[in-house]
Amino acid sequence: MSNDIRSLEDLSQAYRASVPEDLRQAHSFEWYLSELARDPKIARNAHQRVADMFDHYGTDYDEDAGVVEYRMGAEDPLHDGENVFYGREVHESIHEFVNKVKSGARGLGPEKRIKLLLGPVGSGKSHFDWLVRRYFEDYTRSEAGRMYTFRWTNLGDVIRDQDPSDDTVQSPMNQDPIVLLPQQQRDSVIEELNERLEAPYTIRNEQHLDPASEFYMDRLLAQYDDDLQAVLENHIEIVRLVASENRRECIETFEPKDKKNQDETELTGDVNYSKLAIYGESDPRAFDYSGAFCNANRGIFSGEELLKLQREFLYDFLHASQEGTIKPKQNPRIDIDQVIVGRTNMPEYREKKGDEKMEAFNDRTKRIDYPYVLEYEQEAEIYRKMLRNADVPDMNIEPHTLEMAGLFGVLTRIIEPSDDAVTLVQKAKAYNGEIDDTDDIDVKKLREDGEARADIAEGMDGVSARFIGDEIAEAIMDSTHRGRSYLSPLAVFRHFEANLENHGSIPEENIERYERYLEFVREEYRDRAIEDVRHALAYDLDEIQRQGEKYMDHVMAYIDDATVEDRLTGREQEPDETFLRSVEEKLDVPSDRKDDFRQEVSNWVSRRAREGTSFNPQDNDRLRRALERKLWEDKKHNINFSALVSAGELGDDERSAWIDALEERGYSTDGAKEVLEFAGAEVAKSELEGEE
């Protein structure tokens, strides 16, 4: 590995390779027409371009979840996975957003609506909005996403009162060059483009030139005796347009401020006072196209905390969304073309929802619920991402730590089942995909019940991933200060318990309920820790393989109504029902469901055989767990349980073997000692009580 950093020449070449080839070039209008003929998508509107952007970076269909995943959010190829989104509900929300944009691309109505991302604090809606803007910037730099605008040149040669500094003027609204054509001629070009277009939408453009450009066009046409070709050849240059939020080109964000410090001109633009003395107040050249809607033209307008805006500011969104126009003070209407995205939290939405004076605004919004994640293992991936993206101390994250943190978060977000036969933890496990075929739990009905009983939607309330991530971070630093090189669920639980009451986003009336949920999580962790310790005390991979093969031999004989050869005597015998049930009972498979379970396992083995894969019980989670538990029952009588309660009674070799077994499951040495002390005592207690 070289100690040298990359040279300036290498860096320069890498930068140049990232820049569109024609970024600095000026083209003629004739060139633009020929490019349109070659690639009609250049003339797409904002909704069409954003819709194509999502497909450009790739899509996948998750058959298990039944959800379309866009790689922008599922893999984040642009940032090496740094901004990946997790959870079925979140990807459903992203898909709903994309569907709204794609419907708008087809002119079905959503192009005239505000896409309002509604969700609780910390649900990721702002980050998703941020990610869309970053990808739009990148997409417009690519060949597939290219777009162009125009600039007026040599204006001083014809317009005598033109300020010399305005001899060359970029299209103030970054409009598509096709708007330079009068509507009748433009329609004929667009008709030809649509005949060549391979897309689920058609090109449409009925925009007027912005007032300043219309002024220049009128003056120049008068000078050239309405010779449009002469005007376009002598005074128009076509230039590449690349979206940039920093330069406020095709992307703009807008956030509420104090009522006294905010003016609607921030949205629509204002007079350019430096030009008033030159052009006069009524001259369109004296207008400053610096409003947020102006800057977002051809791209994306992002409104942060949109419903916190005063009502009079929200009125500007009515025409912007429905009519695609804005009306600056004392100036003509200006056509705009952009995807308008708003974000809001739950309190503001509830406040505005029942306001009759907001009816017109609400009618022009398409609400897209952006809930918290409801699968706790997916929630755990959020924390893993947080740790991957940070400079984490050299610390082992013990098994179950992030999953149990995620389970606590999910319990606070889901609605308690109306069916008393299903506990809240069982519902969380069902949402996580842990329900077996033999379990009498209908996940679809659970979801329908949750949606029906939720205030707005399930997952729109509860503890945020931000709170949990903060507590994990605090627990990591606390462990570091204590000289501990591992983070266990017990340490995270302590931080949850200590800080629930101190977190400003958690209502006081929820604290007692959340503390009860935390006890549920402790119990779940206790069961998992016990399972790990049992595994360490009695695990034997070869024995599990032998028992698994024996089980399958007897299952196949049972299904085929045949006999099985005894491996010791070589004699044919009936399937050993006692042995079969001793395995199945470890999974609480009732007697009346045993045939279903055996057929399920048989089908699994048959599928693997057809695929050329040999039988391995480790590959079937249910069968593996059953065999492990049976092995425990067979071996526990030879274990010194009193030694688990009193660590001083352990022999060094015996204790080391147990720790080694736990380390193989992902524990650190110190973490293994902790879980032996915590769960080992529980195992010993239960087994010793059982002997009594």
Side-chain angles (χ1 to χ4, degrees):
M1 180 177 176
S2 173
N3 292 325
D4 297 332
I5 63 173
R6 297 181 67 184
S7 68
L8 177 58
E9 181 181 359
D10 289 341
L11 295 170
S12 179
Q13 289 177 352
Y15 164 73
R16 180 170 290 181
S18 70
V19 174
E21 291 183 0
D22 63 345
L23 181 63
R24 313 295 180 187
Q25 296 177 16
H27 306 283
S28 68
F29 192 85
E30 190 70 47
W31 173 90
Y32 183 69
L33 289 177
S34 66
E35 284 298 292
L36 286 181
R38 188 170 69 85
D39 183 6
K41 287 187 176 182
I42 293 174
R44 287 169 292 183
N45 63 31
H47 277 80
Q48 292 165 348
R49 187 169 272 104
V50 173
D52 286 346
M53 173 191 73
F54 279 92
D55 291 334
H56 173 76
Y57 292 98
T59 61
D60 292 301
Y61 181 67
D62 185 336
E63 293 187 9
D64 294 332
V67 176
V68 174
E69 292 185 353
Y70 296 90
R71 291 180 188 167
M72 282 173 49
E75 298 177 14
D76 186 23
L78 198 58
H79 308 101
D80 295 326
E82 185 176 337
N83 305 287
V84 171
F85 288 84
Y86 298 98
R88 166 184 171 158
E89 290 76 18
V90 172
H91 285 292
E92 284 179 339
S93 298
I94 293 174
H95 184 47
E96 184 179 355
F97 174 86
V98 176
N99 276 346
K100 296 287 190 295
V101 175
K102 289 188 173 183
S103 295
R106 293 171 178 251
L108 294 174
E111 75 279 7
K112 299 179 180 180
R113 306 288 180 265
I114 299 164
K115 287 74 176 169
L116 186 65
L117 298 177
L118 170 67
V121 294
S123 64
K125 57 187 180 298
S126 297
H127 197 65
F128 169 67
D129 189 12
W130 174 89
L131 194 69
V132 171
R133 301 197 301 271
R134 298 292 77 76
Y135 272 86
F136 188 70
E137 289 176 330
D138 184 71
Y139 184 56
T140 62
R141 297 172 74 91
S142 71
E143 180 71 13
R146 62 184 175 140
M147 57 181 173
Y148 294 88
T149 187
F150 60 90
R151 61 188 177 213
W152 298 96
T153 63
N154 305 319
L155 294 174
D157 294 348
V158 176
I159 304 175
R160 293 183 180 180
D161 65 342
Q162 188 76 1
D163 186 343
S165 65
D166 294 336
D167 189 58
T168 298
V169 177
Q170 176 103 357
S171 167
M173 296 288 291
N174 287 320
Q175 287 184 293
D176 191 303
I178 204 168
V179 301
L180 290 164
L181 295 175
Q183 193 65 54
Q184 186 174 351
Q185 287 71 39
R186 190 191 314 174
D187 289 343
S188 66
V189 171
I190 289 176
E191 183 179 354
E192 294 176 5
L193 294 181
N194 284 325
E195 291 177 358
R196 302 165 181 259
L197 181 67
E198 295 181 3
Y201 49 75
T202 57
I203 303 296
R204 295 179 297 275
N205 193 316
E206 297 180 356
Q207 286 197 335
H208 293 87
L209 281 166
D210 66 80
S213 294
E214 191 165 16
F215 173 87
Y216 295 135
M217 179 63 81
D218 287 344
R219 285 288 191 93
L220 293 170
L221 284 173
Q223 176 67 26
Y224 287 96
D225 195 21
D226 288 320
D227 187 343
L228 180 63
Q229 181 176 356
V231 172
L232 298 181
E233 287 181 346
N234 293 324
H235 297 280
I236 288 294
E237 290 181 345
I238 307 301
V239 290
R240 182 76 178 263
L241 179 61
V242 172
S244 170
E245 185 171 340
N246 286 341
R247 294 198 305 270
R248 304 177 74 188
E249 290 184 345
C250 308
I251 297 179
E252 180 65 288
T253 56
F254 186 78
E255 59 186 38
K257 301 182 181 68
D258 182 80
K259 183 178 180 181
K260 296 179 180 178
N261 298 323
Q262 192 147 33
D263 189 273
E264 63 179 328
T265 58
E266 293 182 49
L267 286 169
T268 59
D270 198 3
V271 172
N272 185 343
Y273 292 98
S274 67
K275 298 294 183 182
L276 274 179
I278 301 172
Y279 296 128
E281 186 173 351
S282 62
D283 195 305
R285 293 173 293 178
F287 185 74
D288 186 4
Y289 295 82
S290 60
F293 283 130
C294 303
N295 297 328
N297 200 43
R298 307 282 304 280
I300 300 170
F301 176 99
S302 173
E304 182 178 343
E305 300 292 349
L306 197 61
L307 295 187
K308 285 185 177 179
L309 288 169
Q310 299 296 324
R311 189 179 294 116
E312 53 267 32
F313 291 104
L314 292 177
Y315 290 153
D316 288 310
F317 286 85
L318 300 183
H319 283 293
S321 57
Q322 181 67 36
E323 308 297 336
T325 64
I326 55 175
K327 179 63 174 70
K329 291 180 180 178
Q330 301 177 352
N331 278 277
R333 290 196 181 279
I334 301 173
D335 289 336
I336 60 172
D337 169 31
Q338 53 205 250
V339 178
I340 301 177
V341 182
R343 309 190 302 276
T344 191
N345 290 328
M346 301 301 293
E348 290 77 23
Y349 177 77
R350 289 190 176 100
E351 178 185 346
K352 295 290 196 300
K353 184 180 179 183
D355 188 348
E356 293 182 358
K357 296 180 180 179
M358 292 293 295
E359 184 177 357
F361 177 82
N362 292 335
D363 192 50
R364 288 166 172 80
T365 60
K366 284 287 187 180
R367 192 187 94 193
I368 301 165
D369 293 342
Y370 207 96
Y372 289 132
V373 174
L374 298 183
E375 300 89 29
Y376 70 83
E377 287 183 348
Q378 289 290 294
E379 178 79 3
E381 291 298 328
I382 297 176
Y383 313 139
R384 286 193 179 89
K385 178 180 71 173
M386 175 193 76
L387 298 177
R388 284 197 306 269
N389 295 340
D391 297 323
V392 180
D394 186 13
M395 179 168 294
N396 190 68
I397 308 300
E398 301 297 298
H400 315 300
T401 301
L402 302 184
E403 286 77 11
M404 293 301 96
L407 177 60
F408 172 66
V410 168
L411 291 181
T412 68
R413 301 166 189 171
I414 58 179
I415 305 297
E416 296 209 26
S418 57
D419 183 355
D420 294 337
V422 181
T423 68
L424 190 67
V425 174
Q426 284 177 318
K427 178 175 179 177
K429 289 184 175 182
Y431 278 14
N432 197 53
E434 295 180 44
I435 297 302
D436 295 326
D437 293 341
T438 55
D439 290 321
D440 191 19
I441 295 179
D442 190 325
V443 180
K444 183 179 178 182
K445 286 185 177 179
L446 283 176
R447 292 188 184 277
E448 290 173 350
D449 177 63
E451 290 298 318
R453 298 173 61 231
D455 178 21
I456 292 179
E458 195 167 34
M460 303 292 273
D461 198 5
V463 169
S464 72
R466 189 177 297 154
F467 164 78
I468 296 175
D470 289 346
E471 297 311 312
I472 290 173
E474 290 292 327
I476 287 174
M477 296 315 300
D478 182 60
S479 295
T480 301
H481 295 152
R482 295 171 183 270
R484 300 173 64 179
S485 60
Y486 68 98
L487 181 70
S488 71
L490 297 176
V492 175
F493 294 160
R494 287 194 293 270
H495 279 266
F496 285 168
E497 194 170 39
N499 294 318
L500 274 173
E501 293 186 13
N502 303 324
H503 200 273
S505 69
I506 300 177
E508 185 177 348
E509 61 267 21
N510 291 347
I511 299 298
E512 184 177 344
R513 178 161 55 91
Y514 290 177
E515 288 175 343
R516 179 162 51 90
Y517 293 166
L518 187 55
E519 289 306 310
F520 293 167
V521 177
R522 288 182 189 274
E523 285 299 309
E524 179 65 24
Y525 171 61
R526 172 187 172 276
D527 292 344
R528 296 188 183 207
I530 288 173
E531 193 81 9
D532 287 347
V533 169
R534 283 175 172 167
H535 179 280
L537 299 182
Y539 194 66
D540 185 332
L541 189 62
D542 293 336
E543 182 62 21
I544 287 177
Q545 181 70 27
R546 285 192 292 271
Q547 293 284 338
E549 291 173 353
K550 177 181 177 182
Y551 177 80
M552 287 312 306
D553 287 344
H554 286 256
V555 162
M556 292 301 189
Y558 174 84
I559 292 174
D560 296 337
D561 195 21
T563 58
V564 62
E565 181 182 333
D566 187 288
R567 296 193 176 193
L568 294 177
T569 66
R571 295 178 178 178
E572 294 295 321
Q573 63 179 25
E574 296 295 319
D576 188 342
E577 183 67 19
T578 301
F579 169 71
L580 291 174
R581 291 301 296 152
S582 70
V583 174
E584 293 154 1
E585 286 170 354
K586 300 302 178 291
L587 290 177
D588 297 323
V589 176
S591 180
D592 60 350
R593 300 292 295 275
K594 66 182 182 181
D595 288 355
D596 294 336
F597 179 74
R598 293 171 187 178
Q599 189 64 56
E600 175 192 330
V601 177
S602 172
N603 292 342
W604 175 76
V605 171
S606 298
R607 284 196 305 272
R608 291 177 64 84
R610 288 194 298 270
E611 295 167 359
T613 305
S614 59
F615 170 74
N616 186 345
Q618 297 292 327
D619 296 336
N620 187 300
D621 187 57
R622 298 187 72 201
L623 182 58
R624 175 188 57 77
R625 281 187 283 126
L627 293 170
E628 285 178 354
R629 290 170 184 176
K630 183 180 185 304
L631 184 62
W632 167 259
E633 291 293 329
D634 295 342
K635 290 195 171 186
K636 69 181 183 181
H637 304 292
N638 299 321
I639 294 173
N640 182 2
F641 289 108
S642 62
L644 284 173
V645 180
S646 177
E649 296 184 22
L650 284 174
D652 290 340
D653 292 342
E654 187 177 22
R655 187 174 180 83
S656 294
W658 292 351
I659 290 174
D660 288 345
L662 287 167
E663 287 179 347
E664 289 179 3
R665 295 179 72 83
Y667 287 89
S668 64
T669 300
D670 289 336
K673 293 176 182 177
E674 178 184 279
V675 80
L676 272 176
E677 181 180 346
F678 168 71
E682 294 288 339
V683 171
K685 180 181 177 182
S686 62
E687 296 301 336
L688 291 172
E689 288 176 350
E691 291 175 3
E692 295 174 1

